[in-house]
Amino acid sequence: AFHNGAAGTYRTYCVRLCDGYFWPISFSTTADRFDHDQDQCNSACGSPARLFVHRMPGGGPGTMVTPDGLPYTALK
């Protein structure tokens, strides 16, 4: 799990929960901005969606998790 003030930068994605489709929110951001990116995700999607993140550099969509640690691969 991440917490505000965690070191490093992250790429954030908005994941639409009905089908797993995702799109980028921030290319390079810090953990203290996750709430802001979640708000952007919520306002951009008409259906339930969650913010997912991965570390930069070195991560990718296959390694993204929610800020509280749920892996993207665990979605139905």
Side-chain angles (χ1 to χ4, degrees):
F2 303 96
H3 56 84
N4 287 351
T9 57
Y10 302 87
R11 181 173 291 180
T12 59
Y13 297 87
C14 187
V15 176
R16 192 169 57 201
L17 298 180
C18 61
D19 60 5
Y21 177 80
F22 61 88
W23 60 95
I25 299 287
S26 291
F27 178 77
S28 182
T29 193
T30 53
D32 63 334
R33 300 288 293 162
F34 289 167
D35 287 343
H36 174 264
D37 285 8
Q38 178 66 63
D39 290 344
Q40 283 192 292
C41 177
N42 292 341
S43 67
C45 188
S47 60
R50 275 187 89 173
L51 189 74
F52 280 75
V53 305
H54 68 72
R55 279 202 182 274
M56 291 296 294
T63 63
M64 62 187 178
V65 297
T66 61
D68 60 2
L70 177 74
Y72 176 71
T73 54
L75 293 180
K76 294 179 181 180

